Amino acid sequence: MFTTRPTLQGTFGMVSSTHYLASQSAMAVLERGGNAYDAAVAAGFVLHVVEPHLNGPAGEVPIILAPAGGEVRVLCGQGVAPAGATVAHYRSLGLDLVPGTGPLAAAVPGAFDAWMLLLRDHGTMELADVLSYAIGYARDGHAPVERVGETVETVRELFETEWPSSAEIYLVDGASPRPGELLRNPQLAATWQRLVEEAEEAGGAGREARIEAARRVWREGFIAEALARQAGRPTLDTSGARHTGTLTAADLASWEATYEAPATYDWRGWTLCKAAGWSQGPAFLQQLALLPPELPAYGSADWVHLLVEGCKLAMADREAWYGDAAEVPVDALLSDAYNAARRTLVDPEKASYELRPGSPLGQEPRLSAHARAVAAGEDAFDALGVAGAGEPTVAKSPTSPVPGEPDVREDGLTRGDTCHLDIVDRWGNMVAATPSGGWLQSNPVVPELGFPLGTRLQMTWLEEGLPNSLTPGRRPRTTLTPSLALKDGVPVMAFGTPGGDQQDQWQVHFFLAVALRDNVRGGLDLQGAIDAPNWHTDAFPGSFFPRGMRPGSLTVESRTDEDVVAELRRRGHDVTVGDAWSEGRLCAVARDPRTGVLSAAANPRGMQGYAVGR
């Protein structure tokens, strides 16, 4: 079967990420004798430099890891709401939604500490060594991909008039970053160099002690001081007003990344592992649980219709039941009896235009007033005209009509996206991570540090009593959702994608393509599954400001068979045909436990993701 690239195979190590420089940096670490976790940390910090419009050090990262011979674990790098981030405080400012930009949207940064725990507990290399790649690209420069400059252009006026610290880095001599010219971030390079030096001085002779010292510098040292100062600066945000944030030095000092057990679901000999109900991860599992025993032909109109309608039901349950502010009934939501009943709601001949959460424990679903309003067709796209798809795929052009594209206003409303990386090494260690947040367009660059605060609190509701209500000390429900798959109890595949609310749609389609289609080269057809035409729906409240919804919507790539599109329209789907390569940015690696053969593939959409290995 023709694919855009081969599925790579080898025995030494495999890396797939959303940027070729991150992939190659991770591979360089493997070549130096590091393991998958050393390589992941190096790649994660390189992504902060080369994809600053997609993630940053003050963002967040959920990580799923499967150590060779060990248990699958989730490492939560999603920070919580600060102590002062209460519904009452935000309401007192006249807000109905958390702004999409600015310090009011900043949770406690989570990515850095999660990477440090991964390196301390599972890596083998020194912090200085794994950070050297990011420091080099920040100090000496890298040639940015087109999308970096395009993103900066969308917020040029904001940078020039409101955020001068951002302009200093991203508008050098008044010009946005251009491909083929070096983009430097000397402030960020200096931050990491100082952190390494302070950690070495304070940590003494031990590797783990030096990593612990670096964590303290982040939480309590010069970095924490600068982040807290930035949160206290009045900043223009998407509300049209200037606000200070709620993040304080005490919030930074008190939070640490944590390990937890994954949410899992067994399907036809596979076990799928996701983060729990503080993420949207269980929605992936629910979509599998909703599938009937007999499946339609892959790629047919029946196939797409079934998956789209199942996605709507799972995402309606996400809206009603997921969040860190309440106990999420994951077991009940994934139970056979519950999903058998939910399955009967799917009309095989008609697309649903309703938001239909269920009652897994016999309790009434809890929807926010805003979600009920957009589900009823009130301000479905808001007066701003912004689609509810959340983070767009970077593959789409800025002028694409496909829902989910960024919309920019004078106050800087533009959506960011996300990164992803997967690694498997020769010992069988496997990891999937989805870094995001802290985008260059989300908040002003902290002048002393070279990176901005994040905006993940925009995913919470300013209404009490909901699973995802803004709550001090609780995580906002995140869309970030890496995946790890076991076959007959053995870790086999790590995968994921950027894309906000679309992540656990594209990943379901990818996984089913891997699980159901013929193998190639004696292994999993990773590249074929990534290349296959993809799609998504926005028929549920979006996770990002302004939290819109498009009932009945379905966006497909133009490579989708015309007869399939016509039949989907006949069944009532509001179909938008997008560009041929516009849906998804998947990465994947795999290991055959029988032979030890490793494989990897990466998404051709966006022209920057690559897999490497040998």
Side-chain angles (χ1 to χ4, degrees):
M1 184 184 70
F2 172 79
T3 57
T4 57
R5 306 165 181 177
T7 294
L8 306 183
Q9 290 190 322
T11 56
F12 179 81
M14 289 285 162
V15 179
S16 179
S17 88
T18 49
H19 197 289
Y20 47 85
L21 292 180
S23 294
Q24 190 53 49
S25 297
M27 195 66 202
V29 170
L30 295 180
E31 296 285 2
R32 291 174 61 181
N35 65 17
Y37 308 115
D38 298 311
V41 176
F45 280 87
V46 169
L47 288 171
H48 295 159
V49 179
V50 300
E51 294 193 323
H53 58 310
L54 307 181
N55 78 137
E60 41 276 326
V61 59
I63 302 168
I64 302 184
L65 58 148
E71 288 185 295
V72 176
R73 301 291 286 170
V74 171
L75 177 49
C76 174
Q78 174 57 65
V80 299
T86 64
V87 170
H89 173 63
Y90 284 59
R91 287 287 189 178
S92 74
L93 300 174
L95 299 172
D96 296 319
L97 293 174
V98 177
T101 60
L104 273 179
V108 178
F112 180 85
D113 201 57
W115 289 126
M116 291 301 99
L117 282 191
L118 185 66
L119 183 65
R120 183 196 71 183
D121 297 340
H122 300 280
T124 64
M125 294 178 67
E126 290 286 348
L127 175 61
D129 293 330
V130 297
L131 276 181
S132 64
Y133 304 90
I135 292 172
Y137 284 126
R139 180 191 61 229
D140 303 326
H142 71 283
V145 294
E146 288 83 352
R147 194 68 167 130
V148 176
E150 291 172 0
T151 303
V152 172
E153 277 299 307
T154 65
V155 285
R156 167 184 285 277
E157 183 177 352
L158 183 70
F159 282 12
E160 290 175 335
T161 60
E162 297 282 343
W163 297 3
S165 59
S166 299
E168 183 180 350
I169 294 173
Y170 296 109
L171 291 174
V172 179
D173 297 326
S176 295
R178 289 187 288 265
E181 297 185 5
L182 291 177
L183 171 62
R184 296 179 174 88
N185 189 338
Q187 292 94 322
L188 180 58
T191 294
W192 294 146
Q193 191 61 50
R194 179 178 172 184
L195 175 128
V196 167
E197 291 170 358
E198 291 192 9
E200 289 179 343
E201 183 178 345
R207 187 187 78 94
E208 292 185 9
R210 285 188 284 274
I211 295 171
E212 281 299 300
R215 295 177 71 204
R216 289 193 299 274
V217 172
W218 176 276
R219 292 201 308 265
E220 302 171 14
F222 77 96
I223 294 177
E225 293 169 0
L227 292 172
R229 276 196 302 272
Q230 184 65 42
R233 292 182 176 121
T235 302
L236 181 67
D237 60 37
T238 51
S239 71
R242 290 176 177 80
H243 293 112
T244 57
T246 59
L247 182 68
T248 67
D251 296 313
L252 289 157
S254 62
W255 185 84
E256 298 184 25
T258 53
Y259 292 99
E260 59 186 57
T264 63
Y265 185 75
D266 295 331
W267 188 81
R268 297 192 177 188
W270 293 83
T271 299
L272 283 304
C273 302
K274 303 288 284 187
W278 53 268
S279 77
Q280 72 172 349
F284 176 108
L285 307 179
Q286 279 188 265
Q287 289 172 78
L288 296 182
L290 284 162
L291 293 175
E294 297 295 324
L295 296 175
Y298 177 88
S300 65
D302 288 341
W303 171 261
V304 178
H305 178 79
L306 176 69
L307 291 181
V308 170
E309 295 305 297
C311 174
K312 293 174 185 177
L313 294 174
M315 290 301 195
D317 278 342
R318 182 194 74 163
E319 192 56 51
W321 299 105
Y322 292 21
D324 199 33
E327 189 72 25
V328 182
V330 172
D331 290 344
L333 288 164
L334 298 180
S335 68
D336 291 342
Y338 178 70
N339 287 287
R342 295 284 277 162
R343 202 177 297 132
T344 64
L345 297 177
V346 176
D347 186 332
E349 290 296 314
K350 185 178 180 182
S352 170
Y353 277 61
E354 300 177 77
L355 185 69
R356 300 180 290 178
S359 302
L361 297 176
Q363 302 167 340
E364 283 297 309
R366 293 171 288 178
L367 292 174
S368 69
H370 183 91
R372 291 194 299 270
V374 296
E378 303 171 23
D379 297 323
F381 275 80
D382 190 270
L384 306 176
V386 184
E391 298 167 305
T393 168
V394 78
K396 302 172 190 170
S397 73
T399 57
S400 169
V402 179
E405 279 303 297
D407 186 48
V408 184
R409 307 187 310 174
E410 292 180 357
D411 57 17
L413 172 58
T414 178
R415 292 196 180 91
D417 202 348
T418 298
C419 309
H420 187 80
L421 64 89
D422 302 301
I423 304 176
V424 60
D425 64 27
R426 62 189 185 273
W427 301 288
N429 299 302
M430 192 175 291
V431 61
T434 309
S436 187
W439 309 303
L440 66 84
Q441 64 273 30
S442 64
N443 259 299
V445 163
V446 183
E448 307 93 320
L449 303 179
F451 59 85
L453 289 165
T455 54
R456 193 60 57 171
L457 290 187
Q458 66 180 291
M459 309 180 87
T460 61
W461 293 115
L462 296 182
E463 182 179 334
E464 300 284 8
L466 301 171
N468 194 31
S469 297
L470 178 64
T471 307
R474 294 290 183 173
R475 295 166 286 194
R477 188 197 73 208
T478 183
T479 51
L480 306 176
T481 176
S483 302
L484 201 139
L486 290 70
K487 192 73 182 291
D488 300 322
V490 179
V492 167
M493 182 168 62
F495 59 99
T497 180
D501 293 316
Q502 302 156 19
Q503 289 181 33
D504 277 326
Q505 301 183 60
W506 296 331
Q507 290 187 73
V508 168
H509 310 157
F510 163 80
F511 168 72
L512 290 173
V514 169
L516 297 175
R517 293 168 68 181
D518 291 338
N519 293 348
V520 295
R521 287 190 175 179
L524 299 175
D525 183 14
L526 301 182
Q527 193 65 52
I530 288 174
D531 288 355
N534 218 319
W535 67 90
H536 81 273
T537 178
D538 305 312
F540 48 85
S543 295
F544 293 84
F545 182 92
R547 314 300 296 271
M549 172 177 170
R550 292 189 67 218
S553 68
L554 175 60
T555 301
V556 303
E557 290 181 322
S558 62
R559 295 180 294 127
T560 305
D561 186 271
E562 292 181 1
D563 292 339
V564 170
V565 172
E567 176 59 21
L568 291 168
R569 284 176 170 152
R570 187 194 70 78
R571 299 186 195 190
H573 295 278
D574 181 9
V575 181
T576 297
V577 178
D579 294 339
W581 297 91
S582 57
E583 293 285 319
R585 288 181 65 208
L586 282 146
C587 301
V589 300
R591 179 180 184 273
D592 187 333
R594 298 175 299 107
T595 63
V597 171
L598 312 178
S599 56
N603 174 54
R605 302 163 179 89
M607 300 296 287
Q608 65 193 66
Y610 270 87
V612 294
R614 68 173 179 86

